[in-house]
Every structure is written in structure tokens, then in C-alpha cells.
Amino acid sequence: MTPARRQTAPGTAVLSRKAVAAAVPVALAAVLAATTPASAGTVGAAGAGDPYFPLQGNGGYDVRHYDLRLGYDTSTGRLTARAVLSALATRRLGRFDLDLSGLKVTGVSVDHAKASFRRRGQELVVTPRHALHAGRRFQVTVDYQGKPGPVTDPDGSTDGWIPTDDGAFVANEPQGAMTWFPANSHPLDKALYDITITVPEGRTAVSGGVLVSRRTRGGHTTFHWRQSAPTAAYLVTATIGRFKVERYTTPDGLEVYNAVDPREAAAAAPVLRKLPSVLAWESARFGPYPFRAAGAVVDRAPQVGYALETQTRPLYDRAPDLATLVHESAHQWFGDSVTLTRWQDIWLNEGFATYAEWLYSEQHGGRTAQQAFDALYARPAGDDLWAYPPANPGSGARLFDTPVYARGAMALQRLRVTVGDATFLRVLRTWAQDHRHGHGTTDQFIRLSERLSGKKLDRLFHTWIGTAGKPAKP
Ligand code: ARG
Ligand code: ZN
């Protein structure tokens, strides 16, 4: 599923905004030229045109649904899998790519007819027996197996299939999806998921959405998870371990499923207990929670070093503190439901989730958002906080750095002070509502803020998200 008004080059709209434009690299054309073969008559592009991850995603089709059937042997670390993708050709396609890194592909078929394929780095290049005409719905089946492992990101962190002492911690932001399933893995293409995972009896396999069934037979347990809201590939998981499971329905009707590593249970319990009240508090500020299911996976995987806002069921590499729970929960609105169209816009995720932490603290007897802003503003001009603009980190190596999180949140505090509390909250709610289960760009956020406040905000956003260096005292 791609956004209705999908642009050929995602995010070009921002280029038209003078204020922010100055900060935007114009490498897009070069990247598109590099990823779209000149002879592209019937060939789907190898990438979605994102300068930060040029090979992520693919052109020429749009995935509607993934049916992933995985078997994982926790003693050997072997994965045996079949992926069935239901997709729509957006142009005539004689050949197309999927993203898949490592593993061994044993067969590919398109609409049940054997297709030829070859591997080329992270691209699985598929040639169906007959070209697919534009507008045609088709199914691709990929059989594959092997020992999955993580990918190392440009910032040195790892994501993807990360084996643990009792299973695997599976986190895909920004590019780990390709380490365990073939996909159109750019966030532009959201899809629905059915994920069936078979593990040795005694282990639990957790994904997003609701648990459709759980069956044990012959020493193995199969978990069938269904995610029925559009989901970006980086927000999908299949985390496996020895977990204590807790299930309940909240007064608001949300189905909660928490899976907790027993070694983390004591520390996690007091924080997880607050999940319903955190979601209710966020719903009161940001609008209705976008999904039916909720919960958490608390693993013991300290080598990971981060938590992730996996859709409906965030992943924690250890027992989270309350601020982290608030942060990952806020991402359900900002990032998961409203998804970026290019990685450069990452502040729309991290700046917003960080701001949610500030607001939560303010309204629960802690530091106010303005105090958080002031403490950051006190940092000297040479501090990393000012090293680059949140809306233009410059490369995939800087997606998760301080400017994106902290200065991104500072920009929202400036917006709040400038337009007033009521309008500010109306902007956040309208943003979540208008782009629910879809996508949003920085440019659209600026325009919405201007429209609802009746103020010209180009300069504010230029100063706080569009330029490097410490801004003058507001
Ligand atoms: N989005 C995560 C958060 O909530 C951070 C993910 C970091 N991922 C990485 N590969 N470093 O802050
Ligand atoms: Zn975050």
C-alpha cells in the first residue's frame, strides 16, 4: 500500500519550501538515475529512491499483504520459511526486485508458476514467466532458509534478526527486515501481515497485532499473528524467547499481550502496569489510539542497546523505564500510524516521541517541557545537539542522534509557545487524524501548523529544524 498521492521522488514537496529547501541535499536525481536502469522498459527499480538507503524498497509494484510462515530452531539458529506476498503491479513488469539479504532462496513462483531469480547483494531479482501488466494483482511465493543474522547500520548499530541466548530479538529499523523476509521494505509501502511462527515447545514467538491461534503438536508450538492495520516493514517483528505471557483487555477495549523475559519481570512489572493509563493519556492528547492491539515484548538482549516501536507491541531489549514506555507508545501515533516517506524526515518520529515524554513528565508532576527545553538550550554552541538540523541529518548514519530526538522536540516546544497550547494540541491531533494509517512529510506538517494557527511559521521551522548551529535565544 503506497500513499494515494505518492510522489515519484518522495519528499520533493519539501524542496519547494524556500525555508527548509536550503538544507536539503539535491542528490535525489542522481540516486534515482543510479537505481532506475535506463532500459527500464519493464523492469522494476531496485530502490524506492531514498537517498539514505538507495536500495531499500523497490519500484513497479505495491505489496498489500505478507503471509510469512517461519520455523525457527532455537538450538541451531536455523530458519526455514515461506513468504507469500500479494501485490499489485503499478506498471508493466517483466522483472522486479525484492529486498533480501543473506539466507538461501530455494524457489520463487509468481501466481503459482515457477519464476527464475537471482541474488544480487540485497536484491532478490525475480523474472516471472510472463510479464505482469500494469494494474494486475499477483502473488509471489519465496521459499528460503538459513541462519539469519543482523545487519550493521551506517551508525554502527545492528538491527534485523539478532539471536539471543533463548531465541531472537527481531528489530527492523531502519533496514533489518531484509535479514529475515523478502519485502518491499521501504516505509512508503505499508502492508497487512499474517505471521505464523513455529518454535520448540516452551518458547514463545511474538509479533504485532492479535494472536489468531496458538497450537502445540509434536514438541513444537505454532503462533499465528495477524496485523490488520497497514504496517511498514521496519515495524514488524518475530521475536522469540522464553517469555512469561500476560493478556488482558483494557477498559477501552484494547487487546493487550505482554511477553516478558522472566529475568526482567520484576523490573518491568511496575512500568508495564502503567501501559493502559499511558495509552489513555496519549489518546486524550493525540486522538484515539490507532490500533486494536497493544502490549510489549520485554527481552533480555542488552547487546541491542535500544528499544523499538514495533507496531502495536514495542520491543524492549531490557525492562524499560516509564519514559521509554511513553516514548515507544507515542510512536504508535507518530511513526507507526503516520509514517515517514523518506528517512530524512525521521524527526517526525523521534522529535515527536521525545516531546511526548516531556509533556507526560509535565502533566505528571515532573519537569515541564519548557524546563526540558531550557536545560538543552543551555548547552554550548559546540555541543553535538547543534551539529546538524533535525530535518536534514544528512545520512543514515545520523538517524538516531541527539539533534533528531532532542532538537526535534525543542522545535515542537517552540511551536507550542508560538501558537499556544490549545492550537498546538490541535495540530498534533489533526496530524494524527489526517494521516492515520498513512504517511506524512515535514512539509505537510509545517503547512498544517500554519493553517491551524493562522501564522507564518517558515522562519520558526527553518531555525529549529532546518539549519545547523545553535539558534539565537528565542
Ligand atoms: N526508533 C527507536 C526509538 O524509539 C530507535 C531505533 C534505533 N535503531 C537503530 N538501528 N539504532 O528510539
Ligand atoms: Zn523513538
Side-chain angles (χ1 to χ4, degrees):
M1 293 182 189
T2 41
R5 284 157 304 162
R6 176 169 177 177
Q7 298 142 319
T8 336
T12 41
V14 168
L15 292 170
S16 67
R17 283 199 84 82
K18 278 183 273 115
V20 183
V24 175
V26 196
L28 208 54
V31 171
L32 287 172
T35 54
T36 313
S39 62
T42 61
V43 175
D50 194 311
Y52 287 12
F53 297 97
L55 289 176
Q56 186 176 66
N58 306 283
Y61 65 95
D62 189 358
V63 181
R64 298 305 166 92
H65 181 263
Y66 290 86
D67 186 349
L68 308 179
R69 293 168 209 181
L70 315 171
Y72 191 60
D73 183 338
T74 45
S75 60
T76 62
R78 279 194 74 80
L79 178 72
T80 308
R82 163 171 283 191
V84 181
L85 284 63
S86 302
L88 180 76
T90 53
R91 54 175 297 173
R92 187 179 155 78
L93 272 186
R95 195 181 93 194
F96 60 88
D97 283 18
L98 299 167
D99 303 319
L100 184 69
S101 168
L103 304 167
K104 181 178 168 53
V105 174
T106 56
V108 177
S109 64
V110 173
D111 287 339
H112 306 292
K114 233 171 131 49
S116 67
F117 64 91
R118 89 194 129 78
R119 308 294 298 275
R120 209 192 198 175
Q122 67 181 71
E123 302 297 306
L124 168 62
V125 184
V126 178
T127 308
R129 193 174 306 161
H130 304 290
L132 304 161
H133 62 75
R136 156 97 174 256
R137 287 178 187 283
F138 65 102
Q139 265 195 358
V140 193
T141 303
V142 180
D143 288 305
Y144 58 103
Q145 52 180 270
K147 270 192 175 187
V151 62
T152 301
D153 296 323
D155 66 357
S157 63
T158 53
D159 70 308
W161 194 280
I162 305 172
T164 57
D165 58 2
D166 60 356
F169 183 94
V170 183
N172 298 345
E173 189 182 28
Q175 46 173 357
M178 65 182 177
T179 70
W180 62 281
F181 69 97
N184 192 18
S185 64
H186 192 276
L188 270 173
D189 192 358
K190 292 175 145 189
L192 313 184
Y193 284 82
D194 276 86
I195 303 186
T196 303
I197 313 157
T198 301
V199 291
E201 188 174 356
R203 312 288 161 128
T204 300
V206 194
S207 191
V210 298
L211 183 61
V212 176
S213 65
R214 174 186 181 283
R215 272 193 201 103
T216 299
R217 211 174 23 200
H220 287 88
T221 305
T222 299
F223 295 81
H224 176 183
W225 292 93
R226 175 167 294 158
Q227 177 66 263
S228 45
T231 312
Y234 84 87
L235 295 169
V236 176
T237 188
T239 292
I240 296 162
R242 295 186 193 277
F243 294 127
K244 273 174 60 177
V245 170
E246 172 192 32
R247 298 178 76 166
Y248 60 89
T249 304
T250 68
D252 304 333
L254 298 180
E255 291 184 45
V256 176
Y257 184 107
N258 293 330
V260 181
D261 187 310
R263 297 166 292 184
E264 298 292 325
V271 177
L272 287 187
R273 213 175 295 134
K274 297 210 159 150
L275 180 63
S277 73
V278 166
L279 293 177
W281 178 85
E282 290 181 341
S283 303
R285 267 111 211 119
F286 311 145
Y289 177 74
F291 310 109
R292 259 184 60 203
V297 182
V298 180
D299 205 344
R300 176 171 283 192
Q303 71 272 29
V304 174
Y306 57 81
L308 177 66
E309 62 268 26
T310 334
Q311 188 158 302
T312 70
R313 193 155 293 114
L315 273 175
Y316 302 95
D317 67 335
R318 65 197 74 188
D321 57 19
L322 182 57
T324 306
L325 186 91
V326 169
H327 179 109
E328 306 309 336
S329 298
H331 273 307
Q332 302 304 309
W333 285 260
F334 307 116
D336 293 18
S337 170
V338 184
T339 302
L340 44 74
T341 61
R342 52 173 193 172
W343 287 105
Q344 184 185 324
D345 284 338
I346 186 73
W347 85 282
L348 292 174
N349 294 8
E350 303 305 347
F352 284 50
T354 302
Y355 196 81
E357 293 177 55
W358 294 5
L359 197 58
Y360 186 90
S361 159
E362 175 176 320
Q363 299 188 358
H364 291 82
R367 193 170 69 159
T368 65
Q370 187 58 42
Q371 284 166 340
F373 178 99
D374 292 341
L376 286 164
Y377 190 78
R379 293 195 189 178
D383 193 90
D384 282 352
L385 173 62
W386 316 112
Y388 56 81
N392 184 20
S395 90
R398 293 167 165 184
L399 289 180
F400 306 111
D401 285 359
T402 318
V404 169
Y405 285 69
R407 190 171 164 186
M410 292 175 85
L412 291 177
Q413 175 63 12
R414 288 308 307 150
L415 176 64
R416 175 181 173 187
V417 169
T418 305
V419 304
D421 284 12
T423 302
F424 174 68
L425 283 176
R426 195 142 54 83
V427 169
L428 294 187
R429 259 200 305 279
T430 309
W431 179 246
Q433 176 61 42
D434 288 0
H435 300 269
R436 184 179 156 92
H437 294 162
H439 294 84
T441 66
T442 295
D443 185 53
Q444 289 170 333
F445 183 73
I446 296 172
R447 268 190 275 130
L448 176 68
S449 304
E450 289 188 332
R451 184 159 63 76
L452 296 187
S453 68
K455 289 189 151 80
K456 269 204 71 60
L457 299 167
D458 267 12
R459 186 151 22 177
L460 182 154
F461 282 108
H462 179 62
T463 301
W464 289 95
I465 65 171
T467 41
K470 181 173 175 175
K473 194 153 186 68

